[in-house]
Amino acid sequence: MITNGCMLKSFKVTEEKGNPLPPQREKKPKTSPCVLRCGTAYGNLLAMDDISAEWMTSPVRDCGSDNDVSNDDDDEDDEEEEPIRKRSKWPDLPIPAPWYGETSKETGFHRSSRLCLNQIRECLLEHRWQEAAEYLISYFQTLEEISTPRQLLATEIIFRLGSEILHQHPNSKLEDVNHFFDLMKNTGVRGYLKISLEHSFHLLLTGNFDDAVRQLTTAESWRYGKQSAVQADKMKLIHAYRGFLSYLSWISKKGSSSEDDDGDVSAIQEMHTYFRQACISLQEILKLPGVWDPFVVGYVNMLEFYNDHEGALNVLKEYAYDSRFPPNPNAHVYLYRFLKRQGSTEKKQIRVLKILGALVPSHELMLELFSLLLESGTEQSLKEALDVLFNLLDDCSWKHSVAAWTCFRNMIKLLRRKKLKHLLEEGWETRKDWWPAFHFRTYHARADFQLSRQLLLMKVVVASTLVGNSKNAFSACLGLIVPANPLGRCFPTQSTFLLLGAGKEQKHGLGVLVNP
Amino acid sequence: MDSKFPDQLFPVFYYTGPPKKKADCPVHAWGLHGHVYGNDSGSAEVADWSFLAQRKVNGPTWAPVESIVAPLLPPKSVNKWSSRHLPSAMDFPKHMQNFYLYKSEDAFSTMNHLLEDHFDFGSGELKECMKKTTVSMKNMERFMSSAKFIKCPLKPFEKRASLYNNLLGDVIHDIPPGLLGELLYEELTLQREEKQFNEVATGGALGFFLISTSNTSQEGCLVYPRKAALNSLNFHKVVVEFQENIPRPKFMNKPINYGVNGTIRQVSVGPMEESVYVGVRTDYNCGVWVATSAQKPQPLDVVNTQERATCLTVSPHMPGELLVASESGVAYLWTVGRSLQKFREEEGNLYFNAKSPWRWCDFSAHPRVMLYADRTGLELSDIRSKETCSHTVFRIGATSGCKSGERVILSRYLCNVNTHHHLVTTQHSAYIMDERFPCLPMIKWDHMMASPPMFAQAVGTASQHQNTVILGSQSSQELTLLQYSGGNAVAAQVLGAPQKLSCPMKSLADLPVQIPHRQKNVQERLTVPAAGIASIYYDKEESLCVLQLSEVGDIFYQTLRPASQDSLQAAHKEMLNEDSVTEQSGSSPQESQESVNNPRTNIVSQSKCKIVSQSDCPPETSDARIHGINEPCVNMILNPLTEQEDVSLSKDIPRTAKVSKATLLKWKSWLNVLRNGQRSTPRYSQLHWTLKTKDHFTFDGKPRDILGKDQITSLRNNMREVMEKKSVLTCGATSLSPPEVLPTPHPVDTQSWGDDLSQRLSASWEGGWKDWWEEKLGLNREKRIEELRRKRRRLKRTRGPRVALSGSFTTSASYQSDLDGWSSAVSDFGGQDPDLDSSTFSGYLSTQEDSAEPERTGRVLQHEPKGSKLSSEEKSNVTLSRNKAKMPKDPSQEGNPKAPKQLKQDYMSALFSSQEEVVDAGTEGTDFFFPMSLSSQVSSISNSQRKPSLGPFSQSSQSSKQGKKRARMGF
């Protein structure tokens, strides 16, 4: 009745559309300014004044399109656009290919190894290590794979699964693990470096420092024809870790030699050897972009010991300011601490901390920046100090920090003294619409009181100052806590009890929330 | 403490650029430590240093209290739930056929009206003028009635149908078939995609908030959708109580429900402060409710979106603030009761063109900095500044070690775990990002899930050393538990390996088996994709309850308790003990052991059957097959390889199915409700040609079972016992009376059949078909006569007078029979040609020689012992006689050539060449058979005369035959 033949053919073409496209070269489009203040245009969304009832029962009223609320005519257009949108959605998400699924050209060997792998996976995912070990014994036969890629994959899989099982199995011993690692290292050359590194980690974690060093030394001297990029990186890591372990040996030598003051020359010689070894390897890795916190710390520590302050500073500056490196907050922290140790000028320290503050406004060193800025005492620096404090308290991790609120209270006192309260108002201007709800709610008062009375006191002072300035004192909440709490005895004057509600907004929007 | 940033981070290379890795190795979750750094403890001794690995291999683990999930609510009867069968886009002809058959009104109505006058359905008399232009539809009706049946071939009407098609095919359709087919194809493709991955459900439609905690119980409220279309929002009070040391969630009171206009896609719950905000997202609406611990939830506000909404998040910082994102690419801050504030709009995707309109947004540690995400990455944007101020948190690329094709599925701000951490999930991995150090993930897991994780829950445990993340996927219902620690003072560390929690789909295997069609029904119900997860953490008695919502509104839960190292060791010890017990007694001590260990929980152990039942569990769904989880052949392949291991496997304790009685009862009632609530209404009543047999068979209505009820129950018990032992149920093991022993039937006596056909068939059964015919046609008459003569001569020569006398009887008898028919004296010749010596002849040729060998088979068997009894002189005798017998054979054949008979013989041999071979083989065998038969003849005679005590068989047969012989002698 229906002739489908030709249609089938034509559909096959469209079917291929479903293949996921490889991600294109990353290019971040320039984003246009799109932050709009509230209350202007609602965009595609429209808040409905009378809530609920309509949505609950009646059919949906369509909302306005951009800048235009009357859009009854748009409905047809929308319907036309619908299928197009759907169609464009097809190549949306590449579902991961079921690698473990059955393939059409599968030999019995592959099939059995696939099934076996699935079993092992299931066992591992359910933490049945013993059963997984039994299955793994059978899985070793996949090493007899003929094709090279598959064999490599099998080696990798066996290494991963085997080491995991050995780590978790209740009966496994260190010797077993060592033996397994040694075996796996020589099953194909690709994995040698990786497994060596992993092996040394395992030895380190189990407290065999010397064996780990030996492993790394052996791996360091390993040579094999052409190396892939991954292998080259692994080699660099091995060098770096080798250097790091030398540094650790250096520390132990340093400690032991400092104990007996006039250490013999050989011990100092040995220390120097370790230093040189560590220096060479760590220097290399620090040139490459990455996160090298432990290495940097060690390297700088050694340089400082040998009074190469210039070199240490260069290393730290490079680590913090090189644009090839990721924006690591710790890099700035190390630099700041180094400068502090060296007793450099406050100006330099402040500069470093400011950069850190731009990166992470909520960093704990911001309190130090605050005190540094206070010390300088100029109006400009006071303004900056206030900004630092405001930014710090913007972050929700500092919400309950007594130290931060105490700083704020002190700052307010200082500003009052210096008659610079306008600075406070400037900072408050951008926050007055949300700080009350964020910091000064009855709920917060209760929670803070349970946490620490000190905290509540500081916050009360700050709140009264800030909100009082904007002529919106809310003493209504005053009675909420006071009668039930012994606070009343601490504060004889009522004016300090300004426990604030949510500000203006509470009257309509959030008023519902306050639990009488 | 959240304000601290780790002093040192693990070393890692910083790569930039697009992802390079391919998704190949499927085991990335395991085996590696990642990186290591040493904690400089200030000690001089190297041994004192503690090293920290990026992945701590032995982390604390959660252990499920029971091995299956339990239903929390009775199942709602849902008219239909889609099975997990993925629609294939190439099925569109079938759908078109259905459309034409069952919706013919819609398919052909226009042409139907136009042609109505020209078809006659036999309803009334036709006018004269109309007769020429009207077609009678009598045949057509018959055709149509048969077309209703799918199975019915249209063969009888094919020609007519094609004629109609030629005539009307172009015009009859309201919708052109080409267009319809194309649209159907598209729709089916879309449906398939959506079945595999339906992004609208991202986030999950299950929420929970805590109301109060006491020492023995915890009270909270579960927010979940109900009804068939998931369009009713329920707030239901849940109490987690400890029953027998196992925490169990229980619903209290009645739910408060609100009808919602559309399927609920996402439920987002804010933190419980003095009140809690619950955001609900449907496709084109978002609503918000507020609830307090004292008052019942109230609806507050609603917005509609023109494009489909993709995200709704309730602020963890500020009451009454929500974020809304829609497919148009715009993200809004929605302050309840006030306004919407657009803070970000992106036409395309953030980092590269992923062709996805999906957008997501979330909060961050700063209440005025929002997270904006799509499939390519996450960005933080400050909503205070006028110009866009945004920086990357995460992007798909080499920096975070992504694989090519990887996309962001979900992001979640983990406020309750660490104020700076965000969880990002992709198809392959899950990342923990610290917004203070963007781009590089603090933690990367390979979650090993088959379908992308769309739901996530994070639990910061009381000790704060260990944060638990639970990922849930949609189509495969998987739940994966991941753990990490640190992120504040020390660098974040992965704890342990990913752990898979049980899901409803798998639980069916541990439940009692049901009748197949019900089992299938339940299985279909349980394999419905998940729609959301929630978790309830109870810190007083550390326990974690994980709830999972399915797309038909079922909620299942499972409870986890921390598995301490002690308990693990205890389990291990226990296992060792059990091993020793098993070795000693050889019985199955597991149950007793279990019950001794857990006297209170009444746990049923099924560990032994576990492996088998796992392989038996539903392999039907296509995804499960893709998984390879339920491959039924696993054991078949593995068992032969590891037969000894199999024993040890079954001894292994870890995979035990622990199901308490309470849970089983819950499941039982759940299944009952499901069964009763189902209406079996097939969509089309008649799918097959049915034949009514009501009148053909009568049924008297008496029960067929002759056994009593007691007997049946005892039989069932017996059966169960036997099945446990895996042995065979024999009659002796039951209480039934032993069945009557039937006597074995008599051997077939072919001699009793006298007719030609029977004889021929009997002969040919033994391979003597050709000979029978030769015999019948008399082709071998001369040979026979010759043979007879030779024999007589021989007998005269060799035998003494007494023997000669008996011989004369034989000859006379055989001679007489020779006179009766032409075939005689065959019996003696049988030794030479075994094919001739068939039982056919023995029927009417009962000679003395024959009597010694009543049946051919018997004879063959008996030859050898008899032959072995021969003395040496007899042997020499035999060889002599054989030579004599052979010698005259040839001249007899050559000497008497008779033309017509020769021709006949040629014809026969040509015809029966196949038989010839057999005969040849037989003649070859004469060397063997001949002496035997002769010797037997000789021995039987000599024995019968000299040694009366011979084998019982020969004697009896001889005596019986002698009786016959006497009768003949008398004759």
Side-chain angles (χ1 to χ4, degrees), chain A residues 283-311:
Chain A
Q283 252 173 355
E284 284 303 308
I285 195 82
L286 292 182
K287 283 176 191 160
L288 301 165
V291 177
W292 312 120
D293 290 356
F295 304 155
V296 168
V297 169
Y299 189 47
V300 169
N301 202 356
M302 285 191 297
L303 289 180
E304 266 186 283
F305 183 79
Y306 291 106
N307 289 322
D308 185 4
H309 300 302
E310 194 66 26

mmCIF file of all heavy atoms in Angstrom, chain A residues 283-311:
data_model
loop_
_atom_site.group_PDB
_atom_site.id
_atom_site.type_symbol
_atom_site.label_atom_id
_atom_site.label_comp_id
_atom_site.label_asym_id
_atom_site.label_seq_id
_atom_site.Cartn_x
_atom_site.Cartn_y
_atom_site.Cartn_z
ATOM 1 N N GLN A 283 64.586 22.583 38.925
ATOM 2 C CA GLN A 283 64.677 23.703 37.989
ATOM 3 C C GLN A 283 63.959 23.380 36.689
ATOM 4 O O GLN A 283 63.231 24.198 36.141
ATOM 5 C CB GLN A 283 66.149 23.975 37.681
ATOM 6 C CG GLN A 283 66.664 25.224 38.304
ATOM 7 C CD GLN A 283 68.160 25.353 38.107
ATOM 8 O OE1 GLN A 283 68.816 24.450 37.574
ATOM 9 N NE2 GLN A 283 68.711 26.456 38.532
ATOM 10 N N GLU A 284 64.189 22.176 36.233
ATOM 11 C CA GLU A 284 63.627 21.769 34.946
ATOM 12 C C GLU A 284 62.111 21.803 34.970
ATOM 13 O O GLU A 284 61.460 22.377 34.101
ATOM 14 C CB GLU A 284 64.099 20.343 34.602
ATOM 15 C CG GLU A 284 65.514 20.255 34.120
ATOM 16 C CD GLU A 284 65.752 21.138 32.909
ATOM 17 O OE1 GLU A 284 64.965 21.017 31.943
ATOM 18 O OE2 GLU A 284 66.684 21.962 32.925
ATOM 19 N N ILE A 285 61.550 21.185 35.995
ATOM 20 C CA ILE A 285 60.086 21.059 36.013
ATOM 21 C C ILE A 285 59.437 22.418 36.231
ATOM 22 O O ILE A 285 58.336 22.665 35.741
ATOM 23 C CB ILE A 285 59.636 20.044 37.085
ATOM 24 C CG1 ILE A 285 58.177 19.616 36.867
ATOM 25 C CG2 ILE A 285 59.740 20.607 38.491
ATOM 26 C CD1 ILE A 285 58.029 18.557 35.860
ATOM 27 N N LEU A 286 60.125 23.329 36.926
ATOM 28 C CA LEU A 286 59.500 24.622 37.199
ATOM 29 C C LEU A 286 59.413 25.483 35.949
ATOM 30 O O LEU A 286 58.706 26.485 35.940
ATOM 31 C CB LEU A 286 60.279 25.358 38.288
ATOM 32 C CG LEU A 286 60.187 24.717 39.671
ATOM 33 C CD1 LEU A 286 60.943 25.530 40.689
ATOM 34 C CD2 LEU A 286 58.729 24.597 40.096
ATOM 35 N N LYS A 287 60.117 25.081 34.921
ATOM 36 C CA LYS A 287 60.016 25.846 33.670
ATOM 37 C C LYS A 287 58.738 25.520 32.918
ATOM 38 O O LYS A 287 58.306 26.265 32.051
ATOM 39 C CB LYS A 287 61.217 25.530 32.776
ATOM 40 C CG LYS A 287 62.477 26.235 33.230
ATOM 41 C CD LYS A 287 63.636 25.819 32.368
ATOM 42 C CE LYS A 287 64.946 26.301 32.959
ATOM 43 N NZ LYS A 287 66.074 25.532 32.412
ATOM 44 N N LEU A 288 58.179 24.359 33.219
ATOM 45 C CA LEU A 288 56.984 23.931 32.493
ATOM 46 C C LEU A 288 55.734 24.425 33.204
ATOM 47 O O LEU A 288 55.698 24.448 34.433
ATOM 48 C CB LEU A 288 56.949 22.402 32.413
ATOM 49 C CG LEU A 288 58.146 21.790 31.721
ATOM 50 C CD1 LEU A 288 58.211 20.308 32.005
ATOM 51 C CD2 LEU A 288 58.060 22.046 30.235
ATOM 52 N N PRO A 289 54.711 24.827 32.432
ATOM 53 C CA PRO A 289 53.503 25.309 33.091
ATOM 54 C C PRO A 289 52.805 24.182 33.853
ATOM 55 O O PRO A 289 52.690 23.069 33.357
ATOM 56 C CB PRO A 289 52.637 25.810 31.932
ATOM 57 C CG PRO A 289 53.186 25.187 30.716
ATOM 58 C CD PRO A 289 54.635 24.921 30.971
ATOM 59 N N GLY A 290 52.367 24.508 35.027
ATOM 60 C CA GLY A 290 51.690 23.508 35.834
ATOM 61 C C GLY A 290 51.586 23.961 37.266
ATOM 62 O O GLY A 290 51.964 25.075 37.610
ATOM 63 N N VAL A 291 51.062 23.095 38.087
ATOM 64 C CA VAL A 291 50.988 23.374 39.513
ATOM 65 C C VAL A 291 52.104 22.581 40.162
ATOM 66 O O VAL A 291 52.107 21.361 40.133
ATOM 67 C CB VAL A 291 49.633 22.932 40.090
ATOM 68 C CG1 VAL A 291 49.589 23.153 41.583
ATOM 69 C CG2 VAL A 291 48.514 23.679 39.413
ATOM 70 N N TRP A 292 53.080 23.294 40.734
ATOM 71 C CA TRP A 292 54.226 22.585 41.310
ATOM 72 C C TRP A 292 54.463 23.004 42.747
ATOM 73 O O TRP A 292 55.597 23.222 43.158
ATOM 74 C CB TRP A 292 55.498 22.830 40.465
ATOM 75 C CG TRP A 292 55.318 22.643 38.985
ATOM 76 C CD1 TRP A 292 55.503 23.572 38.021
ATOM 77 C CD2 TRP A 292 54.931 21.448 38.314
ATOM 78 N NE1 TRP A 292 55.238 23.043 36.782
ATOM 79 C CE2 TRP A 292 54.878 21.727 36.930
ATOM 80 C CE3 TRP A 292 54.597 20.167 38.731
ATOM 81 C CZ2 TRP A 292 54.518 20.784 35.978
ATOM 82 C CZ3 TRP A 292 54.237 19.220 37.785
ATOM 83 C CH2 TRP A 292 54.200 19.541 36.432
ATOM 84 N N ASP A 293 53.410 23.161 43.492
ATOM 85 C CA ASP A 293 53.530 23.713 44.844
ATOM 86 C C ASP A 293 54.607 23.045 45.707
ATOM 87 O O ASP A 293 55.473 23.741 46.243
ATOM 88 C CB ASP A 293 52.167 23.646 45.550
ATOM 89 C CG ASP A 293 51.183 24.627 44.958
ATOM 90 O OD1 ASP A 293 51.604 25.386 44.060
ATOM 91 O OD2 ASP A 293 50.030 24.643 45.371
ATOM 92 N N PRO A 294 54.567 21.715 45.853
ATOM 93 C CA PRO A 294 55.574 21.105 46.732
ATOM 94 C C PRO A 294 56.983 21.327 46.223
ATOM 95 O O PRO A 294 57.908 21.551 47.022
ATOM 96 C CB PRO A 294 55.242 19.620 46.704
ATOM 97 C CG PRO A 294 53.978 19.465 45.963
ATOM 98 C CD PRO A 294 53.667 20.724 45.262
ATOM 99 N N PHE A 295 57.152 21.308 44.907
ATOM 100 C CA PHE A 295 58.480 21.473 44.329
ATOM 101 C C PHE A 295 58.999 22.884 44.564
ATOM 102 O O PHE A 295 60.159 23.095 44.940
ATOM 103 C CB PHE A 295 58.465 21.167 42.823
ATOM 104 C CG PHE A 295 57.934 19.801 42.480
ATOM 105 C CD1 PHE A 295 57.379 19.533 41.243
ATOM 106 C CD2 PHE A 295 58.006 18.760 43.403
ATOM 107 C CE1 PHE A 295 56.899 18.272 40.928
ATOM 108 C CE2 PHE A 295 57.536 17.496 43.107
ATOM 109 C CZ PHE A 295 56.967 17.258 41.863
ATOM 110 N N VAL A 296 58.128 23.859 44.343
ATOM 111 C CA VAL A 296 58.534 25.251 44.516
ATOM 112 C C VAL A 296 58.936 25.500 45.964
ATOM 113 O O VAL A 296 59.979 26.103 46.251
ATOM 114 C CB VAL A 296 57.388 26.195 44.104
ATOM 115 C CG1 VAL A 296 57.678 27.604 44.549
ATOM 116 C CG2 VAL A 296 57.193 26.159 42.614
ATOM 117 N N VAL A 297 58.096 25.015 46.860
ATOM 118 C CA VAL A 297 58.379 25.221 48.283
ATOM 119 C C VAL A 297 59.750 24.637 48.632
ATOM 120 O O VAL A 297 60.578 25.293 49.283
ATOM 121 C CB VAL A 297 57.270 24.572 49.133
ATOM 122 C CG1 VAL A 297 57.674 24.536 50.591
ATOM 123 C CG2 VAL A 297 55.984 25.341 48.975
ATOM 124 N N GLY A 298 59.993 23.423 48.155
ATOM 125 C CA GLY A 298 61.264 22.765 48.455
ATOM 126 C C GLY A 298 62.442 23.520 47.855
ATOM 127 O O GLY A 298 63.450 23.775 48.531
ATOM 128 N N TYR A 299 62.275 23.915 46.623
ATOM 129 C CA TYR A 299 63.367 24.573 45.901
ATOM 130 C C TYR A 299 63.731 25.879 46.582
ATOM 131 O O TYR A 299 64.911 26.167 46.853
ATOM 132 C CB TYR A 299 62.938 24.783 44.446
ATOM 133 C CG TYR A 299 64.021 25.255 43.523
ATOM 134 C CD1 TYR A 299 65.278 24.647 43.523
ATOM 135 C CD2 TYR A 299 63.804 26.288 42.632
ATOM 136 C CE1 TYR A 299 66.266 25.078 42.665
ATOM 137 C CE2 TYR A 299 64.767 26.717 41.756
ATOM 138 C CZ TYR A 299 66.013 26.111 41.783
ATOM 139 O OH TYR A 299 67.000 26.523 40.942
ATOM 140 N N VAL A 300 62.693 26.646 46.878
ATOM 141 C CA VAL A 300 62.927 27.943 47.514
ATOM 142 C C VAL A 300 63.555 27.759 48.890
ATOM 143 O O VAL A 300 64.471 28.501 49.287
ATOM 144 C CB VAL A 300 61.597 28.723 47.604
ATOM 145 C CG1 VAL A 300 61.743 29.935 48.495
ATOM 146 C CG2 VAL A 300 61.152 29.138 46.224
ATOM 147 N N ASN A 301 63.079 26.749 49.572
ATOM 148 C CA ASN A 301 63.630 26.442 50.891
ATOM 149 C C ASN A 301 65.139 26.200 50.811
ATOM 150 O O ASN A 301 65.917 26.736 51.605
ATOM 151 C CB ASN A 301 62.919 25.197 51.412
ATOM 152 C CG ASN A 301 63.000 25.108 52.919
ATOM 153 O OD1 ASN A 301 63.648 25.948 53.539
ATOM 154 N ND2 ASN A 301 62.353 24.118 53.498
ATOM 155 N N MET A 302 65.545 25.428 49.827
ATOM 156 C CA MET A 302 66.968 25.123 49.675
ATOM 157 C C MET A 302 67.759 26.366 49.301
ATOM 158 O O MET A 302 68.838 26.630 49.840
ATOM 159 C CB MET A 302 67.150 24.037 48.613
ATOM 160 C CG MET A 302 66.750 22.663 49.116
ATOM 161 S SD MET A 302 67.248 21.360 48.009
ATOM 162 C CE MET A 302 66.332 21.718 46.563
ATOM 163 N N LEU A 303 67.182 27.115 48.341
ATOM 164 C CA LEU A 303 67.895 28.328 47.908
ATOM 165 C C LEU A 303 68.071 29.290 49.064
ATOM 166 O O LEU A 303 69.134 29.914 49.225
ATOM 167 C CB LEU A 303 67.139 29.003 46.756
ATOM 168 C CG LEU A 303 67.156 28.284 45.412
ATOM 169 C CD1 LEU A 303 66.370 29.074 44.384
ATOM 170 C CD2 LEU A 303 68.588 28.078 44.921
ATOM 171 N N GLU A 304 67.039 29.397 49.855
ATOM 172 C CA GLU A 304 67.125 30.294 51.013
ATOM 173 C C GLU A 304 68.201 29.835 51.971
ATOM 174 O O GLU A 304 68.925 30.649 52.549
ATOM 175 C CB GLU A 304 65.776 30.323 51.732
ATOM 176 C CG GLU A 304 64.887 31.450 51.279
ATOM 177 C CD GLU A 304 63.634 31.523 52.118
ATOM 178 O OE1 GLU A 304 62.725 30.679 51.899
ATOM 179 O OE2 GLU A 304 63.555 32.389 53.004
ATOM 180 N N PHE A 305 68.292 28.538 52.138
ATOM 181 C CA PHE A 305 69.284 28.005 53.069
ATOM 182 C C PHE A 305 70.685 28.381 52.620
ATOM 183 O O PHE A 305 71.551 28.667 53.437
ATOM 184 C CB PHE A 305 69.117 26.489 53.149
ATOM 185 C CG PHE A 305 70.043 25.848 54.144
ATOM 186 C CD1 PHE A 305 69.757 25.884 55.502
ATOM 187 C CD2 PHE A 305 71.212 25.217 53.732
ATOM 188 C CE1 PHE A 305 70.600 25.303 56.420
ATOM 189 C CE2 PHE A 305 72.061 24.637 54.654
ATOM 190 C CZ PHE A 305 71.756 24.678 55.997
ATOM 191 N N TYR A 306 70.889 28.355 51.317
ATOM 192 C CA TYR A 306 72.212 28.706 50.796
ATOM 193 C C TYR A 306 72.318 30.185 50.441
ATOM 194 O O TYR A 306 73.163 30.583 49.637
ATOM 195 C CB TYR A 306 72.552 27.836 49.585
ATOM 196 C CG TYR A 306 72.791 26.399 49.981
ATOM 197 C CD1 TYR A 306 71.860 25.420 49.708
ATOM 198 C CD2 TYR A 306 73.951 26.039 50.665
ATOM 199 C CE1 TYR A 306 72.057 24.118 50.096
ATOM 200 C CE2 TYR A 306 74.148 24.740 51.063
ATOM 201 C CZ TYR A 306 73.211 23.780 50.779
ATOM 202 O OH TYR A 306 73.414 22.497 51.173
ATOM 203 N N ASN A 307 71.353 30.974 50.979
ATOM 204 C CA ASN A 307 71.385 32.435 50.846
ATOM 205 C C ASN A 307 71.304 32.941 49.404
ATOM 206 O O ASN A 307 71.802 33.998 49.089
ATOM 207 C CB ASN A 307 72.649 33.005 51.497
ATOM 208 C CG ASN A 307 72.554 32.896 53.000
ATOM 209 O OD1 ASN A 307 71.472 33.085 53.557
ATOM 210 N ND2 ASN A 307 73.661 32.553 53.637
ATOM 211 N N ASP A 308 70.671 32.172 48.547
ATOM 212 C CA ASP A 308 70.471 32.654 47.176
ATOM 213 C C ASP A 308 69.095 33.308 47.105
ATOM 214 O O ASP A 308 68.163 32.801 46.480
ATOM 215 C CB ASP A 308 70.571 31.489 46.187
ATOM 216 C CG ASP A 308 70.497 31.973 44.761
ATOM 217 O OD1 ASP A 308 70.450 33.200 44.556
ATOM 218 O OD2 ASP A 308 70.469 31.122 43.846
ATOM 219 N N HIS A 309 68.926 34.436 47.789
ATOM 220 C CA HIS A 309 67.610 35.070 47.880
ATOM 221 C C HIS A 309 67.145 35.585 46.536
ATOM 222 O O HIS A 309 65.960 35.522 46.216
ATOM 223 C CB HIS A 309 67.659 36.210 48.895
ATOM 224 C CG HIS A 309 68.043 35.750 50.256
ATOM 225 N ND1 HIS A 309 67.326 34.802 50.937
ATOM 226 C CD2 HIS A 309 69.085 36.063 51.052
ATOM 227 C CE1 HIS A 309 67.901 34.563 52.096
ATOM 228 N NE2 HIS A 309 68.985 35.317 52.198
ATOM 229 N N GLU A 310 68.098 36.080 45.781
ATOM 230 C CA GLU A 310 67.736 36.607 44.461
ATOM 231 C C GLU A 310 67.119 35.498 43.607
ATOM 232 O O GLU A 310 66.062 35.662 42.999
ATOM 233 C CB GLU A 310 69.005 37.151 43.792
ATOM 234 C CG GLU A 310 68.738 38.009 42.577
ATOM 235 C CD GLU A 310 68.025 39.312 42.943
ATOM 236 O OE1 GLU A 310 68.162 39.787 44.096
ATOM 237 O OE2 GLU A 310 67.321 39.831 42.093
ATOM 238 N N GLY A 311 67.808 34.367 43.619
ATOM 239 C CA GLY A 311 67.324 33.239 42.820
ATOM 240 C C GLY A 311 65.958 32.773 43.287
ATOM 241 O O GLY A 311 65.060 32.528 42.471
#
